[in-house]
Amino acid sequence: MSHAPILFSPFEINGKATAPNRILKSAMSEVLATHGVHLPTQAHTRVYARWAKGGTGILVSGNVMIDPTALGEPGNVVLEDGSDLAPFRDWADAVHEANPETLFWMQLNHPGKQSPKFLTPEPVAPSAVALGKGLETSFAVPRALEPAEIEAVIARYARSAALAKQAGFDGVQIHGAHGYLVSQFLSPHHNRREDDWGGTPQKRRRFVLEVLQAIRAEVGDAFPVSIKMNSADFQKGGFEGDEALAVIEALTAGGIDLIEISGGTYEAPAMTGARSSSSAREAYFLDFAQQARARTSVPLAVTGGFRSVAAMEGALASGALDFVGLARALVLDPEFPLNAAADAEYICDVGRPSTGIRALDRMFMIPITYYESQIRRMGQGREPDPKLSAWRTVWENVCALGAASFRKRRA
């Protein structure tokens, strides 16, 4: 398009796949799986087919867990040995039938300590360090993983990746951001081990590098493997700066195919816009991407804050990134790519949904669950509603999750 020639140009990813444009739908939790079953549903296929028809270049699924005993929240999808692959094939087929050019990648995740007590009474983590910021009341103090257990978790990542490929997905993404297990291993605050898995920056990044190597051994060299990682944790003693850039260099050497840059954890939620060093340019983490570009030739995506066509094209023209990551904007406007292609002035303002009662917003995690409600609407074949009341979100969460809706279900 003449008004955004970079945004709507194709991009070849390390000779392994070609995205039709530079718009990447970043992972958002759908919580659409039937509790206790953990398989994709018809709602998943409807939602992702809608995004594919809307013209998104790369779709990344919401976090698919690698272990049914380690869930981040109710309604998570799980893919492991023994899973019925038919619903996963249906999910991938729905995207490819809706738009054969769209790439569909599965995000793989393990929550570590970020699993609420009512789901996981004894979570695991690199070290026995509790979550803070008031979350310790709803999330149990984790048990430190034994070395053999760490190896078993790595094997689970690899096996789930192999199954995703078998089911017809076009690639996988390792969730290494937002305080989940990979992020916990990278963090000096959360990883206080003194063995081969912690104690130095090199040892803290061993886990993610071995996950990457194990996945690559299962899926082969021609299958795209990406990662979502933090630019910083935005908490005292956390992962940031030079250590984050060193991880990018190590991932590059390890053969990663794309790095999606985000930031924050649920103790310090920068990814929801709570913090932003570059809000004037919309992209929350663009400054870090500019530093990362000097350290890697791997394709980079930046997620967080983008709303306008002009800002996206400008960020891409800077050379700091190759893909624009969108989440909430694509939920409110599943046809965002088509609308952006037709209108140089197009903007999708996601706003800040609120009940007006701060404590209630916190209890129901309104900045996140509001968009889950919109995804649920699309899963039912309805249109997203930008005017949807946050109170409606509270009611729908109570109806969908029952008593569990009143329990803190995400760190």
Side-chain angles (χ1 to χ4, degrees), residues 308-332:
S308 70
V309 179
M312 295 175 196
E313 183 71 10
L316 290 164
S318 76
L321 61 151
D322 304 291
F323 287 90
V324 170
L326 298 179
R328 289 174 287 178
L330 279 170
V331 172
L332 293 185

Side-chain angles (χ1 to χ4, degrees), residues 292-363:
R293 174 54 76 210
R295 310 284 278 267
T296 183
S297 59
V298 167
L300 298 177
V302 173
T303 295
F306 284 113
R307 300 291 175 262
S308 70
V309 179
M312 295 175 196
E313 183 71 10
L316 290 164
S318 76
L321 61 151
D322 304 291
F323 287 90
V324 170
L326 298 179
R328 289 174 287 178
L330 279 170
V331 172
L332 293 185
D333 181 6
E335 283 77 38
F336 184 102
L338 296 179
N339 291 327
D343 182 359
E345 305 298 321
Y346 191 72
I347 296 174
C348 182
D349 184 4
V350 300
R352 290 186 176 275
S354 172
T355 62
I357 302 174
R358 202 169 178 180
L360 195 64
D361 287 354
R362 285 198 303 267
M363 176 184 293

